[in-house]
């Protein structure tokens, strides 16, 4: 009987250790993956943010990634054309340029999603002339994107760019209407203005920081000169 009880006790100890090992392994794995950069083409359905319960996925955010990385890279070429990565790692005003660019792109996306939703509530649409302008803008943007193979690094197709730019065009129309209705300038409702931030406070939005912080801005679509 004593031998049996000792065996049971030993089994329980081993069982506890097995559970503990499994838990520690899961925690370690989560900690590792939570720090890993996201492979963009493999993660297009990840939800990056919500605005009034409407999701912004990485597929929809790709347009902002391409735009923002291109804008900052032009500054990087001026800062040090021989090592463009250096500019992205500059620390200013308490934040790295790469993180500031990422956060700015997120702010743009939230701004446009909100005004797009307002456009839908107002039943706004594009005129034939506006549709033609949109198509030309999409063609130009896509040409620049594919010229460097950036669309492959993002994992998107031309239709994704069209959908995103159409939403922005409609958002801009809604912004004009809201600005006129509220007796403010159109630019007062730009994404970085205090007037817009006050406007935004009346709506519900949420950013998935776990996803956002794993976007390696400056290295998603770009290849740097050294």
């Amino acid at each position: 009987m004593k031998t049996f009880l000792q065996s049971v006790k030993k089994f329980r100890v081993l069982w506890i250790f097995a559970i503990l090992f499994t838990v520690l392994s899961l925690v370690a794995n989560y900690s590792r993956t939570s720090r890993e950069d996201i492979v963009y083409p493999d993660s297009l359905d990840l939800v990056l943010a919500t605005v009034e319960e409407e999701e912004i996925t990485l597929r929809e955010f790709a347009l902002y990634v391409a735009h923002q990385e291109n804008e900052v890279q032009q500054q990087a070429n001026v800062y040090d054309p021989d090592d463009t990565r250096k500019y992205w790692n500059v620390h200013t005003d308490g934040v790295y340029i790469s993180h500031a660019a990422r956060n700015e792109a997120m702010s743009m996306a939230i701004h446009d999603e909100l005004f797009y939703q307002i456009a839908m509530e107002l039943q706004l649409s594009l005129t034939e002339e506006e549709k033609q302008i949109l198509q030309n803008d999409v063609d130009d943007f896509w040409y620049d994107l594919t010229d460097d193979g950036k669309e492959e690094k993002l994992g998107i197709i031309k239709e994704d760019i069209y959908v995103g730019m159409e939403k922005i065009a409609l958002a801009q129309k809604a912004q004009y209407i809201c600005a006129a209705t509220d007796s403010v300038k159109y630019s007062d409702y730009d994404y970085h203005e205090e007037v817009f931030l006050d406007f935004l406070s009346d709506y519900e939005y949420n950013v998935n920081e776990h996803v956002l912080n794993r976007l390696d801005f400056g290295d998603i679509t770009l290849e740097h000169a050294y």
Side-chain angles (χ1 to χ4, degrees), residues 55-177:
E55 296 177 346
I56 300 175
T57 65
L58 288 187
R59 181 184 302 279
E60 295 162 314
F61 193 59
L63 170 64
Y64 297 90
V65 173
H67 167 78
Q68 194 70 354
E69 286 201 330
N70 179 64
E71 290 292 308
V72 178
Q73 185 68 353
Q74 291 181 35
Q75 301 167 22
N77 282 321
V78 174
Y79 183 81
D80 190 341
D82 297 324
D83 185 0
T84 52
R85 187 187 297 275
K86 186 180 295 183
Y87 181 74
W88 287 90
N89 292 327
V90 169
H91 196 263
T92 180
D93 295 328
V95 65
Y96 291 103
I97 294 292
S98 58
H99 293 175
R102 181 189 65 197
N103 296 339
E104 188 170 357
M106 186 73 267
S107 297
M108 290 178 187
I110 290 173
H111 168 278
D112 293 342
E113 174 60 32
L114 175 57
F115 277 117
Y116 171 72
Q117 290 180 26
I118 294 173
M120 293 298 94
E121 292 174 3
L122 297 174
Q123 298 184 329
L124 301 182
S125 60
L126 300 179
T127 65
E128 290 304 316
E129 181 180 1
E130 289 170 336
K131 289 179 180 178
Q132 186 57 57
I133 293 173
L134 169 64
Q135 186 61 63
N136 292 340
D137 289 344
V138 170
D139 290 342
D140 290 343
F141 193 95
W142 185 250
Y143 176 82
D144 292 339
L145 205 63
T146 56
D147 188 47
D148 296 326
K150 293 178 179 178
E151 84 286 1
E152 295 180 359
K153 295 176 181 178
L154 291 168
I156 58 173
I157 59 176
K158 190 174 184 180
E159 180 63 19
D160 295 321
I161 296 299
Y162 185 93
V163 169
M165 294 185 75
E166 181 181 38
K167 290 181 70 171
I168 291 173
L170 288 166
Q172 289 172 344
K173 296 189 77 168
Q175 183 175 340
Y176 273 111
I177 292 174

Side-chain angles (χ1 to χ4, degrees), residues 1-17:
M1 185 67 177
K2 183 177 180 181
T3 303
F4 174 74
L5 291 175
Q6 289 175 338
S7 298
V8 170
K9 185 176 181 181
K10 184 182 296 184
F11 174 78
R12 286 177 178 172
V13 171
L14 292 174
W15 181 69
I16 292 171
F17 272 115

Side-chain angles (χ1 to χ4, degrees), residues 25-45:
S25 296
L26 290 173
V27 170
N29 184 63
Y30 175 79
S31 178
R32 177 179 57 81
T33 56
S34 66
R35 293 193 303 268
E36 289 180 349
D37 293 334
I38 285 176
V39 179
Y40 212 100
D42 298 340
S43 311
L44 295 179
D45 293 329

